[in-house]
Amino acid sequence: MERKHMSAFALYQTIPTDAPPPAKKPSLQVAQKKKKKKENGVSKIHKPQFKPEGKKKRKKLLNAAQRDEKCEEPTELQQDEECVNGDGEDLNALLADLSKINNSRERASKLFQWLINPIPAKTFFKETWEKKPILVQRKNPHYYKGLFSTAEFDRILRREDVQYGVNLDVTSYTNGKRETHNPPGRALPFTVWDFYESGCSLRMLNPQAFSSNVWNVLSILQEQFGSMAGANVYLTPPGTQGFAPHYDDIEAFVVQLEGKKHWRVYNPRTEDEVLPVLSSPNFDQADIGKPILEVVLEAGDLLYFPRGFIHQGDCLPDAHSLHITVSSYQKNSWGDLLQKLIPAALEVATEEDVEFRQGLPLDYLTYMGVQNSDKDDPRRTKFFSRIESLMKKLTNYAPIDAAVDQKARGFLHDCLPPMLTPEELASSVQGAPARWERGQVMDAGTQITTQTRVRVLRAGCARLCSDGVAVHLYHTTDNSRVYHKEEPKSFEINAEHTDAMEFLIHSYPKFVTVGSFPCDSAEDKISLAELLFERGIIHTAEPL
């Protein structure tokens, strides 16, 4: 697994940075206040010592955040770039353009291409995905502008119910020690910015719950991955490091939004840590060897690394860092599917095949098991042969489609709800004209006929699944922006409607008339369409 430490240019053929080598990271002095005990005997959370010079850092940071909210007059040489990329106009314009694309899968493909541009997505998934890190340096600090900013971070703290440990972590890593400094309760700006100016990093755990653009981007990308797309935002003070070296159990896209950060990435230490099932504990520097990639990310740059690659990032003394890590593919391996498939296959095989129900040898405990593993006994060979035969036979009873549906139900539960485009809003139940006006209800009812043209809201927003007794339709349209805040959304579909539901799902992205549903009667067709419309699963070609 060892690979020689090379420059980013030599190893990944990316554009080299003109920045000088990063300065040695100064130690972060996070002095702890004396322990105080509450009246009930519970120890008070430790908070780093306030530093007077931190006020300057905070003022500088907040001033920069406020500047993000204003569009400065560009110089003549910057005119084209600034007009396209000024204060989030680039991302908002991109999202507006994507909303006009008729197919949500195509929308997801184009957004992912924007994320990793100029690397072709096909090349990325063939040569890089799950295999090695890759770096994109753009020399364009505005490329990701509008995705998230320190100004939005501050706005969220002021206006939203951000809770320590749930939505926000306060961390530090100094002298080889990683600490979390979360007090209980709501994270208010007064305390959060005090932590920051004392040298602590801030990690927002679910920015999609508070930021519309992050929600929009992730809800689109989840269709590209076929797996939940999540994100964390990291704000780090100059000259500090918030986290110890570690590896994760997700595919990570580190998007540098503001400032710059010094990153080191290391190979998995052993084959057992390649594409790991779980994230690692914190490592000591002596445990991880030499980095295979060392780079300073600047605003507009992207760093990708697969799960299992150890990484650490620290801020240089002259700038803060704000980045967002977009993640996916947690627990989405063949092994994860087989964990659902094999128990189900064994249950079916035991029911249907007498060979699986035959009793074990009377004396098998005398020659099998760890204490007998060194025995040279022909009965052991025969026992292993029988197990091998049964394992091969087990595949004949594997309910593969049912196991895939079980995985799909988990994915739909993980998913963010779709963020509707203006056209989708106007033509769906969320934008229906029913209202109270002039002392009475106006425009109530769906007014769907056999001539109404409809389609599912998004390619992956609904899925038919059977538990062997009934067929249920699972969907994402009522999901929360907070991960697993609510139970999976589903309802039973009448047996006579399953063909029509399959027809609708497979017709996407085309609109089809309600009259074309393969149901027995016009009444059944309209009844199903009204149900799906009221649940927010379909929308109409034209507003009702």
Side-chain angles (χ1 to χ4, degrees):
M1 294 298 297
E2 271 298 304
R3 193 181 293 167
K4 187 177 178 182
H5 180 204
M6 304 171 67
S7 69
F9 176 79
L11 187 57
Y12 302 106
Q13 297 182 347
T14 54
I15 303 172
T17 179
D18 295 331
K24 185 176 180 181
K25 180 178 69 68
S27 298
L28 168 64
Q29 301 298 325
V30 183
Q32 301 291 337
K33 290 184 177 179
K34 292 181 179 180
K35 295 181 180 179
K36 294 183 181 179
K37 292 188 176 180
K38 298 180 179 178
E39 291 180 3
N40 61 6
V42 179
S43 296
K44 186 176 180 180
I45 299 275
H46 293 270
K47 183 176 178 182
Q49 184 75 31
F50 172 80
K51 294 182 179 180
E53 66 270 23
K55 288 185 177 179
K56 296 179 181 178
K57 290 182 184 177
R58 185 176 74 169
K59 185 175 181 181
K60 182 178 179 182
L61 181 70
L62 294 180
N63 285 343
Q66 290 165 1
R67 285 197 301 272
D68 283 345
E69 297 178 330
K70 300 176 182 178
C71 188
E72 298 177 357
E73 287 297 321
T75 64
E76 186 174 351
L77 292 176
Q78 296 174 320
Q79 183 75 41
D80 292 340
E81 179 177 295
E82 291 290 341
C83 285
V84 173
N85 296 319
D87 196 23
E89 291 178 1
D90 55 336
L91 179 60
N92 290 329
L94 173 66
L95 293 173
D97 288 343
L98 290 177
S99 71
K100 299 171 186 174
I101 295 175
N102 192 41
N103 189 330
S104 63
R105 289 196 183 99
E106 183 182 347
R107 200 179 301 162
S109 178
K110 288 185 179 295
L111 183 62
F112 181 74
Q113 183 58 72
W114 166 82
L115 179 70
I116 64 168
N117 197 55
I119 303 168
K122 187 175 180 180
T123 302
F124 172 82
F125 284 112
K126 181 179 179 181
E127 300 178 359
T128 305
W129 176 252
E130 293 190 321
K131 296 181 180 71
K132 64 182 181 181
I134 200 162
L135 169 69
V136 177
Q137 291 175 306
R138 292 195 175 88
K139 302 295 184 185
N140 179 2
H142 304 290
Y143 187 82
Y144 294 116
K145 198 170 184 183
L147 180 54
F148 200 84
S149 67
T150 49
E152 187 163 16
F153 201 117
D154 186 66
R155 177 194 64 78
I156 290 169
L157 291 176
R158 294 180 183 283
R159 300 181 186 177
E160 306 287 352
D161 182 19
V162 178
Q163 294 288 318
Y164 287 111
V166 177
N167 313 113
L168 187 76
D169 282 331
V170 179
T171 70
S172 64
Y173 176 71
T174 180
N175 299 325
K177 186 178 181 182
R178 158 77 165 82
E179 292 184 281
T180 300
H181 306 280
N182 292 342
R186 182 178 171 184
L188 292 167
F190 179 84
T191 308
V192 171
W193 292 123
D194 190 22
F195 273 121
Y196 175 87
E197 66 186 9
S198 298
C200 289
S201 288
L202 308 176
R203 174 172 65 180
M204 185 168 285
L205 297 169
N206 52 344
Q208 61 271 24
F210 307 110
S211 167
S212 294
N213 273 0
V214 175
W215 167 29
N216 199 355
V217 166
L218 295 181
S219 69
I220 295 172
L221 287 178
Q222 65 194 9
E223 285 201 53
Q224 172 72 17
F225 296 123
S227 178
M228 187 190 92
N232 289 334
V233 168
Y234 300 82
L235 179 60
T236 310
T240 70
Q241 181 168 340
F243 295 87
H246 66 282
Y247 63 71
D248 295 311
D249 60 348
I250 45 89
E251 302 299 297
F253 297 84
V254 178
V255 175
Q256 190 69 26
L257 301 172
E258 295 176 9
K260 52 189 176 182
K261 201 165 199 177
H262 170 224
W263 283 91
R264 285 166 284 176
V265 182
Y266 308 76
N267 269 325
R269 300 178 304 171
T270 66
E271 287 291 338
D272 291 342
E273 294 181 355
V274 175
L275 303 179
V277 175
L278 301 172
S279 296
S280 73
N282 295 327
F283 293 124
D284 293 329
Q285 300 292 340
D287 297 335
I288 57 180
K290 294 182 179 180
I292 59 165
L293 174 62
E294 186 167 6
V295 66
V296 175
L297 282 191
E298 299 186 1
D301 293 347
L302 171 74
L303 173 63
Y304 160 81
F305 44 81
R307 53 197 191 276
F309 277 76
I310 300 168
H311 52 278
Q312 61 179 322
D314 60 274
C315 250
L316 302 181
D318 59 337
H320 77 281
S321 169
L322 179 74
H323 80 265
I324 185 170
T325 297
V326 175
S327 62
S328 191
Y329 253 57
Q330 186 179 52
K331 299 187 184 306
N332 203 41
S333 68
W334 287 103
D336 292 304
L337 176 61
L338 289 171
Q339 284 183 355
K340 300 183 181 299
L341 178 61
I342 291 175
L346 189 57
E347 184 178 346
V348 174
T350 304
E351 261 184 36
E352 299 184 3
D353 191 331
V354 68
E355 192 174 354
F356 285 86
R357 300 196 300 270
Q358 289 174 348
L360 292 162
L362 292 173
D363 58 348
Y364 82 102
L365 292 178
T366 65
Y367 57 86
M368 295 305 299
V370 174
Q371 70 181 30
N372 301 308
S373 60
D374 293 332
K375 282 186 177 181
D376 185 11
D377 189 321
R379 293 175 299 175
R380 288 179 60 82
T381 303
K382 185 178 179 180
F383 194 95
F384 280 117
S385 178
R386 182 66 182 277
I387 291 292
E388 184 179 357
S389 172
L390 291 173
M391 291 295 289
K392 288 179 179 178
K393 204 172 184 182
L394 190 62
T395 60
N396 298 327
Y397 301 98
I400 297 173
D401 285 327
V404 168
D405 282 344
Q406 194 176 348
K407 277 284 292 172
R409 290 198 296 270
F411 168 48
L412 266 62
H413 188 203
D414 294 343
C415 276
L416 285 164
M419 183 174 179
L420 303 187
T421 67
E423 292 77 14
E424 290 169 342
L425 182 63
S427 58
S428 67
V429 68
Q430 287 88 340
R435 65 198 182 280
W436 179 269
E437 187 176 295
R438 295 194 296 272
Q440 61 181 332
V441 175
M442 305 286 288
D443 296 326
T446 55
Q447 304 169 353
I448 288 177
T449 71
T450 56
Q451 299 305 309
T452 305
R453 295 167 59 234
V454 298
R455 71 171 185 180
V456 291
L457 198 60
R458 297 286 166 85
C461 75
R463 187 180 184 93
L464 282 173
C465 296
S466 172
D467 59 7
V469 178
V471 177
H472 287 79
L473 186 71
Y474 286 79
H475 59 95
T476 66
T477 53
D478 287 336
N479 282 5
S480 170
R481 288 164 64 176
V482 177
Y483 178 70
H484 284 194
K485 182 179 180 181
E486 300 174 10
E487 293 299 311
K489 305 296 183 182
S490 70
F491 56 91
E492 187 173 345
I493 290 287
N494 294 336
E496 59 269 25
H497 289 162
T498 54
D499 287 346
M501 198 64 238
E502 286 184 6
F503 169 71
L504 256 177
I505 291 172
H506 295 152
S507 294
Y508 185 88
K510 295 179 181 178
F511 285 92
V512 296
T513 63
V514 172
S516 66
F517 288 8
C519 296
D520 292 338
S521 67
E523 185 180 356
D524 277 349
K525 296 173 183 181
I526 293 173
S527 174
L528 176 60
E530 288 177 342
L531 171 65
L532 297 175
F533 185 85
E534 289 168 6
R535 298 277 185 152
I537 294 167
I538 63 172
H539 69 121
T540 56
E542 301 292 337
L544 293 176

